[in-house]
Amino acid sequence: MIEKKIATTSEVDQVLQANTEKISKVVNHIKVRDSFPRTILKEDTEWDLVGVRDWCSGFWPGVLWYGYEFSGDESLKQAAQEFTEPIKTIAYTPATDHDIGFQVYCSFGNGYRLTGNEAYKKVMLAAADTLATLYNPKVGSIQSWLGKPEYPHNTIIDNMMNLELLFWAAKNGGSKSLYDIAESHAEVTMKNLVRPDYSTYHLGSFDDETGAFLRGVAHQGYADDSMWARGQTWGIYGFAFSYRETGREDFLDTSIKLADKYLERLPEDGVPFWDFDDPKIPHAPKDASAAAIAACGMLELSTLVKDEKLKEKYFNQAKRFIKALSSEHYLSGDTNQSLLLHSTGHHPRNSEIDASIIYADYYYMEALLRLKKIENTTVINP
């Protein structure tokens, strides 16, 4: 058997082309390179911008890198470099939360992957060391948020995504201890934030001295025992690549079971409500960002499982999510500067409800590019 690349002009290419053209237009409207798109509320048309320290700062340069990856457009590459550079400060200042992976890996990580710029590698290694300072060996996990005395040591399901920076650094010149920290964090999350029915808590609170698990909390979900949609997808994706990096079958099994639980409860259109247990369903807001993350996670999963039926299952589900997001209902079109509509940020705080949010666009572009690569590779008999 050999792998042969085949040229296609697929629907995926058409969507990527339209998305990249839109990104190219929007970037010209943002004149300052140390401010980053985050949200467009329903009544607005332009991105609200945030600073370097916002947890979402890395997603916009990541979107630009993805646009460049698809198009080869040098102006997008230039813009991606300009928006990436200000984030460097995060790698060299004390850690204040776990979001360093989101901030640095999505910007510098994609930049290094596409350019091989050694200066980017240096920043990423420094960022991994900074993230590792939040590790508590008594608990075995990275502290997500500082300054929350109600949760002595807290770890949130989102933090699974930041482990990729640590795994990468351990393979690319960083300390082996970074791998150990990432593996331990994934294990602690698996054992405590994943419930017996394979839904997830958003936040796990631990005793910072004994490491004992105290309780699971919804925080951004509807209730402590509810299934918050985006949290479930962080888990699917995070445990999938944790298996990829460690070879631990329990991580793969966890990702599979989280994915199956998610699929079991999905509404017909393939895009979840913000929380699967909101009693206002079907009149609750959707979360397109969760669908985009789920697509990435299940595409990852489809490349890791050995059973051909499972490969096909997760690949086809990911395609289903991407198709739904690429429909008129979820694509922004001329509505505003974003790619996607109908994401939900922090519902309990009434923040970013049914809005356009930058991380939805980021994972949507990632999912499209992943799908394109898979579809452009076919296995044929020689």
Side-chain angles (χ1 to χ4, degrees):
M1 302 283 279
I2 61 171
E3 286 195 350
K4 179 182 177 183
K5 297 284 183 181
I6 55 172
T8 63
T9 53
S10 67
E11 292 177 23
V12 175
D13 287 307
Q14 294 170 25
V15 175
L16 278 165
Q17 182 66 37
N19 287 355
T20 301
E21 288 173 3
K22 185 170 190 179
I23 293 162
S24 297
K25 290 177 184 175
V26 171
V27 77
N28 293 326
H29 289 278
I30 304 172
K31 302 303 181 186
V32 287
R33 292 330 201 207
D34 61 352
S35 296
F36 307 88
R38 171 162 173 162
T39 310
I40 308 175
L41 300 178
K42 275 199 293 189
E43 62 271 17
D44 297 329
T45 60
E46 296 185 356
W47 285 112
D48 287 333
L49 305 180
V50 293
V52 165
R53 290 282 167 189
D54 188 272
W55 83 272
C56 292
S57 62
F59 293 120
W60 174 244
V63 166
L64 296 174
W65 284 118
Y66 285 145
Y68 166 65
E69 180 175 6
F70 170 72
S71 67
D73 184 336
E74 288 295 321
S75 65
L76 276 178
K77 178 183 179 182
Q78 179 67 28
Q81 291 170 329
E82 291 171 358
F83 278 100
T84 294
E85 190 63 25
I87 295 173
K88 178 167 66 175
T89 185
I90 289 168
Y92 298 102
T93 51
T96 56
D97 57 47
H98 69 108
D99 294 313
I100 293 167
F102 286 124
Q103 294 159 324
V104 174
Y105 199 75
C106 296
S107 55
F108 283 90
N110 280 306
Y112 181 67
R113 179 175 61 85
L114 294 171
T115 69
N117 184 337
E118 286 296 315
Y120 287 2
K121 179 179 180 180
K122 183 179 177 183
V123 172
M124 291 166 70
L125 290 171
D129 288 340
T130 300
L131 177 58
T133 64
L134 297 176
Y135 180 70
N136 181 340
K138 294 176 181 176
V139 181
S141 75
I142 294 164
Q143 173 96 334
S144 290
W145 296 322
L146 304 181
K148 287 189 179 290
E150 67 272 34
Y151 310 128
H153 176 95
N154 60 80
T155 290
I156 64 174
I157 192 70
D158 319 37
N159 204 343
M160 286 297 300
M161 297 300 295
N162 295 299
L163 303 185
E164 196 161 20
L165 174 64
L166 300 181
F167 283 128
W168 176 90
K171 291 192 299 187
N172 287 275
S175 168
K176 169 68 165 60
S177 66
L178 298 173
Y179 175 100
D180 297 334
I181 288 170
E183 182 183 15
S184 174
H185 181 99
E187 181 174 327
V188 168
T189 302
M190 177 180 67
K191 290 179 176 177
N192 296 284
L193 272 70
V194 177
R195 302 185 184 110
D197 70 349
Y198 290 96
S199 62
T200 57
Y201 291 116
H202 180 200
L203 179 149
S205 179
F206 299 83
D207 187 301
D208 57 347
E209 288 297 326
T210 67
F213 178 67
L214 301 176
R215 60 187 174 120
V217 182
H219 197 71
Q220 281 181 240
Y222 171 74
D224 287 350
D225 60 352
S226 70
M227 184 169 146
W228 175 51
R230 192 163 63 253
Q232 192 77 7
T233 64
W234 291 138
I236 294 166
Y237 197 176
F239 282 107
F241 71 66
S242 294
Y243 165 72
R244 183 190 74 211
E245 297 299 329
T246 65
R248 284 185 52 164
E249 293 290 338
D250 53 351
F251 291 164
L252 178 63
D253 186 57
T254 299
S255 180
I256 287 170
K257 286 188 165 68
L258 294 179
D260 289 350
K261 183 70 173 181
Y262 179 85
L263 293 171
E264 174 191 313
R265 302 198 63 190
L266 264 186
E268 278 187 30
D269 74 345
V271 178
F273 296 97
W274 76 280
D275 189 299
F276 287 92
D277 295 295
D278 185 338
K280 293 183 180 177
I281 291 172
H283 304 295
K286 291 292 195 100
D287 187 5
S289 75
I293 298 159
C296 293
M298 291 197 198
L299 286 173
E300 178 76 31
L301 202 48
S302 76
T303 69
L304 299 172
V305 292
K306 298 170 183 66
D307 182 271
E308 289 299 324
K309 288 185 178 178
L310 281 184
K311 284 179 185 287
E312 187 176 346
K313 171 184 174 179
Y314 296 125
F315 176 74
N316 287 337
Q317 289 294 339
K319 279 188 72 171
R320 173 190 170 205
F321 306 155
I322 293 167
K323 185 174 182 179
L325 294 174
S326 302
S327 69
E328 288 184 1
H329 186 66
Y330 289 97
L331 270 185
S332 166
D334 296 328
T335 304
N336 63 33
Q337 290 182 333
S338 74
L339 301 180
L340 292 177
L341 305 171
H342 307 309
S343 291
T344 297
H346 196 326
H347 192 284
R349 286 188 185 167
N350 198 32
S351 173
E352 301 174 322
I353 309 296
D354 194 17
S356 292
I357 307 178
I358 191 61
Y359 46 80
D361 287 9
Y362 175 87
Y363 288 106
Y364 179 49
M365 285 294 286
E366 179 182 322
L368 285 162
L369 285 164
R370 278 174 168 261
L371 181 57
K372 174 180 167 63
K373 287 173 186 174
I374 294 171
E375 285 193 330
N376 283 5
T377 303
T378 185
V379 180
I380 61 173
N381 289 315

